[in-house]
Amino acid sequence: MRMRTWKFVPMLALFLVVHEASAATKVKVGVLTSMSSFISDFTGQGSVEAAKLAIEDFRARHPGVTVDLVSADQQNKPDVATGIVREWFDRGSVDVLVDAPPSPVSLAVTDIVRDKNKVYLATSSSHSDLSGKKCNPNTIQWTYTNWAFANGTGKAVVRQGGDTWFFLTADYAYGHSLEKETADTVKAAGGKVVGTVKHPVSASDLSSFLLQAQASRAKVIGLANAGGDTINSIKQAAEFGIVSGKQNLAALALFITDVHAMGLKASQGLMLTTAFYWDLNDSTRAFSKRFAGRMNGKMPTQAQAGVYSSVLQYLLAVQRVGSPADGAKVVAEMRKLDWFDDPLFGRTRVQENGGVQHAMYLAQVKTPAESRAPWDYYKILQKIPEDQAFQPKEQTGCALVK
């Protein structure tokens, strides 16, 4: 396990005007991420850098608040992750946990956060139970949910004629949840699920699973996986002639780093739902330029944008409350704002189930001819309004919703 600690000094001036906290206020942020796995490209070091940028921007406006940061690699193992989190909370004085993918890790650490009365900003885990059946007063699911992915991509593909589906699903909690949410959406839109197959996480050879999908003759093969698994699925599907054989792929959780890794020739035409794109507006472009300057030219993923946004809003809430000591109190303060203007996600609010509402976007990957510059990869087809992009809180199964 590798940990690093940074301290920050003021840089850029920032937005919200709030009451100044005591000069003695100290906050410690812990970024628990994946540094060397199939999801490290869309979380990993980029999540750490995004948190650092948020801290710098906050400190520029509130130099009287001391903010430290630690980070660690949880190796995608719940036992490793929970060990780190307990150490951080019990002896490391960490106040807020950020990131912590994938779903088995996030579902494990959320209970510890509640018991220790800290705060968990779940920025990269999309498992809907985090703001549903396992919701608690200390966890906020910031960036996206499986329901949001399914609602955007599933509906759009069915409307375009993709009414029969076969799922290629990663065999862990995240994949199971994403398949279920999308299957429910497909059926509600008038489509039909003709089959499903589960594949091991990080499997290098998906041929037997793809052949089952091909044999189903479903119009759409839904990829309920992420990161390297999604990339391998798409590349190997092309080798088997699946797309040229008139079956379409629906990447249910695609990240811009996945597209970059595959190239536009392999990924062109794929539809996806995303919470963030670097080229949406002046604010997203300004942040992304700074981020890319620290990440060898890489643009931020939606998960990394979620880290920046959530850490910034958390620190502003701590500053208003005056102390990070009572995690549930800080989360309650974040909910008080109702709708606020976030620099990356626009009109945003935190609901009582811990789910965050903001706009999502239905996008399509450009062809090589359409792309004008490096990382110019998406065509935005539709903005899904913030009041429609996420599952209604009354339907999430969260006991905190009255």
Side-chain angles (χ1 to χ4, degrees):
M1 179 181 72
R2 183 176 62 182
M3 294 190 183
R4 297 175 181 169
T5 304
W6 293 269
K7 289 190 177 182
F8 297 89
V9 295
M11 284 186 70
L12 300 179
L14 237 239
F15 5 86
L16 293 178
V17 177
V18 288
H19 300 294
E20 287 298 324
S22 165
T25 301
K26 295 182 179 180
V27 187
K28 198 166 191 178
V29 178
V31 181
L32 187 64
T33 190
S34 179
M35 291 294 188
S36 56
S37 75
F38 72 106
I39 58 172
S40 60
D41 210 23
F42 68 81
T43 56
Q45 187 59 37
S47 291
V48 177
E49 294 300 327
K52 290 166 68 176
L53 285 167
I55 292 169
E56 290 169 6
D57 287 350
F58 171 79
R59 288 273 291 138
R61 181 65 180 86
H62 304 288
V65 181
T66 299
V67 186
D68 293 341
L69 184 149
V70 294
S71 69
D73 180 4
Q74 39 78 358
Q75 303 171 39
N76 287 3
K77 298 177 180 178
D79 58 335
V80 173
T82 54
I84 294 170
V85 170
R86 291 187 188 279
E87 173 70 20
W88 278 357
F89 289 165
D90 293 343
R91 286 176 285 277
S93 302
V94 167
D95 300 296
V96 57
L97 176 67
V98 186
D99 207 12
S103 294
V105 168
S106 61
L107 293 171
V109 300
T110 187
D111 293 334
I112 301 174
V113 172
R114 177 200 59 209
D115 295 343
K116 299 292 184 180
N117 195 23
K118 302 291 186 175
V119 175
Y120 175 30
L121 304 173
T123 53
S124 58
S125 179
S126 61
H127 199 298
S128 297
D129 280 359
L130 284 170
S131 52
K133 295 176 182 178
K134 284 183 70 72
C135 70
N136 64 61
N138 299 72
T139 292
I140 300 178
Q141 191 168 21
W142 196 269
T143 316
Y144 42 60
T145 64
N146 283 341
W147 191 95
F149 286 147
N151 177 65
T153 307
K155 277 185 180 178
V157 172
V158 173
R159 286 172 182 166
Q160 292 187 356
D163 55 4
T164 56
W165 285 60
F166 185 98
F167 287 96
L168 182 64
T169 302
D171 195 9
Y172 67 112
Y174 157 81
H176 301 167
S177 172
L178 184 54
E179 177 192 315
K180 181 185 182 302
E181 299 280 8
T182 309
D184 290 345
T185 299
V186 167
K187 293 171 187 175
K192 181 181 179 182
V193 177
V194 300
T196 180
V197 63
K198 306 291 193 295
H199 71 79
V201 176
S202 299
S204 58
D205 184 2
L206 297 169
S207 57
S208 63
F209 308 107
L210 285 165
L211 287 172
Q212 291 181 58
Q214 188 176 40
S216 74
R217 298 190 178 181
K219 294 179 182 178
V220 180
I221 299 173
L223 303 179
N225 49 25
D229 287 335
T230 300
I231 293 171
N232 285 340
S233 299
I234 294 169
K235 286 183 175 179
Q236 292 178 34
E239 293 171 6
F240 283 105
I242 288 177
V243 176
S244 60
K246 307 304 181 184
Q247 285 178 298
N248 294 313
L249 301 178
L252 302 172
L254 192 69
F255 293 81
I256 196 166
T257 45
D258 301 332
V259 175
H260 185 74
M262 290 184 289
L264 292 179
K265 184 176 180 180
S267 54
Q268 61 183 310
L270 285 172
M271 294 181 66
L272 64 137
T273 301
T274 186
F276 170 87
Y277 180 48
W278 70 270
D279 201 18
L280 279 175
N281 53 53
D282 289 344
S283 185
T284 59
R285 284 188 285 271
F287 164 75
S288 300
K289 182 178 180 180
R290 294 169 61 206
F291 179 93
R294 299 182 178 204
M295 290 295 295
N296 298 317
K298 289 184 178 180
M299 289 299 172
T301 66
Q302 53 185 318
Q304 292 157 349
V307 170
Y308 173 88
S309 169
S310 64
V311 170
L312 178 62
Q313 297 301 337
Y314 165 81
L315 291 173
L316 290 168
V318 169
Q319 194 276 333
R320 294 193 299 272
V321 170
S323 167
D326 187 337
K329 185 176 181 180
V330 176
V331 171
E333 177 65 26
M334 295 174 78
R335 291 199 300 264
K336 280 183 183 178
L337 286 180
D338 196 26
W339 293 107
F340 59 89
D341 187 23
D342 183 82
L344 300 188
F345 294 105
R347 192 166 178 257
T348 302
R349 71 174 174 182
V350 182
Q351 301 183 98
E352 54 262 57
N353 67 327
V356 173
Q357 284 185 297
H358 49 67
M360 297 286 286
Y361 300 88
L362 182 67
Q364 187 171 37
V365 179
K366 291 183 175 182
T367 67
E370 291 171 325
S371 179
R372 300 164 298 169
W375 297 91
D376 178 28
Y377 293 157
Y378 292 172
K379 292 184 291 186
I380 301 300
L381 304 179
Q382 176 189 345
K383 178 181 178 179
I384 306 171
E386 52 272 14
D387 58 350
Q388 299 174 26
F390 292 84
Q391 186 176 24
K393 60 187 179 182
E394 297 81 8
Q395 298 176 15
T396 61
C398 174
L400 299 175
V401 177
K402 300 177 181 178

